[in-house]
Amino acid sequence: MAAPGVVAAPAFAQWMGQVQSGMEEVLNRFLPSASVVPARLHEAMRYTAMDGGKRVRPLLVYAAGELFDTPRALLERAAAAVEMIHVYSLVHDDMPCMDDDALRRGKPTVHIRYDEATALLVGDALQAQAFDTLAAPLESEAGSADAGLPARQLRMVKLLAEAAGSVGMCGGQAIDLASVGMTLSLAELEQMHRLKTGALLRAAVLLGALGGKALTAAESAALDDYARAIGLAFQVVDDILDATADSATLGKTAGKDAADNKPTYVSILGLAESQALAGRLQADAHEALAPFGGKARRLRELADLIVQRKT
Amino acid sequence: MAAPGVVAAPAFAQWMGQVQSGMEEVLNRFLPSASVVPARLHEAMRYTAMDGGKRVRPLLVYAAGELFDTPRALLERAAAAVEMIHVYSLVHDDMPCMDDDALRRGKPTVHIRYDEATALLVGDALQAQAFDTLAAPLESEAGSADAGLPARQLRMVKLLAEAAGSVGMCGGQAIDLASVGMTLSLAELEQMHRLKTGALLRAAVLLGALGGKALTAAESAALDDYARAIGLAFQVVDDILDATADSATLGKTAGKDAADNKPTYVSILGLAESQALAGRLQADAHEALAPFGGKARRLRELADLIVQRKT
């Protein structure tokens, strides 16, 4: 039992559930209503953005926010923005000219449920909505004067734009496309994933942190080490799951990478060594958080979740 | 001859040429080098962004900037950002699932010259690059302390995101798609174009203005009236040119709207009445600028250019 006056922190699963269900409310607030013209576009944006998913990036935003006392109103916007970027990338990635996938999060993908042109526009509009959400004026919401807030928001916009663009996520996708059927070295595979998924996971951690008090160089470097380790671990585990789980469990088409002749950690390292690598990256993530002590509890638990997840 | 000590403003054609050639240098500076990985993606971004075009939106940014003494470094970024959004929208609009066009500005479109997946990523990455460019820290470039700069930049990011998104340009594209083969009223056609092209032209005018000293409500309303008039005029003239010019002159496929069974001003109003409407909108634009006097010279000249252009 907790000591008097001390509120026990909720267990991880409870905290995670709160963030995940909270994200439905937050996204509902920051996405245009499906009754606003053009209604079909807005309905399709909501169809793809608002049905769960693990919300790993929002979880990272909130967890990092706990370290630096980032205002809640700003965390909500950062979490929604990074998730919108992630969702748009999935919509475009599933299109016939990219991965041509019919199933995502257990539902028909946007170009299947609607049509290709709508999928293209849903992705484009979600990216714009992400920056719209992050750049909104916040003074009144925060309830108190905070003269440094616009400058912090502007840094967050810049960070997210870099992570989403051609030297981040889009660049990783381009390398991924170019690598189909090729033999990549482990270093090349790592560079691809550092951009394709790592950049946005890193952005999620840093967005949560940047919204609060100024980071020291050491804090910034420690967060970067953490983000790099979980970003890579995320992809290694994705490859392991793609090779070992079934489509019903994953909510997307399993075994697709092998079928598409894409290089993966499992195809290069084998299953056992991939699992060992994931474990080492989990340990690296924990080590990077050591300077933050108990306040980094959620970031630690998220590193464990990323490595131990089954979907 | 100009009076001693007074530097005569350059003629419009000379000013326009300076802005247009300046934009090549500015875009060269704000786009990643083609030698940066992934090189093919960066090469394709430059292929589509850096070969001229009329640069109507940058011209509007610079012209509006003259009214409010917006710092040059910020005008450059705003002009590049709005042009990147415009260019990305053309790349996606030309894709097979949208307008399926093979020619743009006299060159093969991106999905023809490269491939569809690259065209998708080029558009996605250019959108991110636009926000990256607009949100970059500027203090040192401006050369002097300007405490209000981040807040102004943040407002500009918000404005551009709104204009680009689902209640702006992307929304207009969605309405356009849904209207193929339908009979639109003049009001419905106008609403579509107010979003599809009007929103970004309006954003260009306001971005140039917002970067400088604070606007009064009257100034803001006058600029909005101007932007609405030229936005509509731009589309009316586009429809006139599509019906009357040839592909070689336009640098894109002429007669495409009629062939695609898309409603246009010419198909609804006829050619003569469309030309009269363009003339009335030109007069409206001039009238809206009256309060600004001589400082609005470039905006006036741009209204004339938009209506009198032949391509």
Side-chain angles (χ1 to χ4, degrees), chain B residues 53-220:
Chain B
K54 294 182 287 288
R55 310 297 191 199
V56 171
R57 291 151 198 82
L59 287 163
L60 288 169
V61 170
Y62 282 100
E66 292 195 354
L67 287 180
F68 299 95
D69 305 321
T70 306
R72 181 156 193 93
L74 192 49
L75 283 180
E76 285 179 350
R77 287 181 179 271
V82 73
E83 189 69 3
M84 288 175 197
I85 294 286
H86 172 58
V87 170
Y88 115 67
S89 79
L90 299 181
V91 173
H92 281 185
D93 202 33
D94 286 335
M95 287 178 69
C97 67
M98 300 279 284
D99 281 357
D100 194 13
D101 221 322
L103 194 65
R104 172 70 70 179
R105 291 178 178 172
K107 298 193 310 186
T109 47
V110 178
H111 69 276
I112 298 288
R113 171 71 180 72
Y114 295 85
D115 54 70
E116 271 188 65
T118 301
L120 183 61
L121 291 174
V122 160
D124 289 347
L126 280 173
Q127 177 163 203
Q129 194 69 30
F131 293 106
D132 190 337
T133 300
L134 197 51
L138 269 185
E139 282 78 358
S140 56
E141 282 187 41
S144 63
D146 181 350
L149 194 56
R152 298 210 304 281
Q153 280 179 272
L154 196 65
R155 275 200 297 276
M156 292 165 76
V157 168
K158 176 89 170 76
L159 177 81
L160 185 61
E162 252 181 56
S166 68
V167 294
M169 188 182 72
C170 287
Q173 301 250 21
I175 297 173
D176 190 14
L177 278 173
S179 71
V180 172
M182 286 176 61
T183 307
L184 294 193
S185 69
L186 196 61
E188 288 167 333
L189 187 69
E190 188 172 321
Q191 195 217 11
M192 173 180 94
H193 290 309
R194 192 174 49 77
L195 299 181
K196 190 182 169 193
T197 51
L200 204 58
L201 290 166
R202 172 178 179 270
V205 174
L206 295 180
L207 283 174
L210 275 181
K213 62 182 172 58
L215 275 67
T216 67
E219 287 170 335
S220 186

Side-chain angles (χ1 to χ4, degrees), chain A residues 76-88:
Chain A
E76 285 180 350
R77 286 180 179 273
V82 73
E83 189 69 3
M84 287 176 199
I85 295 285
H86 172 59
V87 170
Y88 114 67

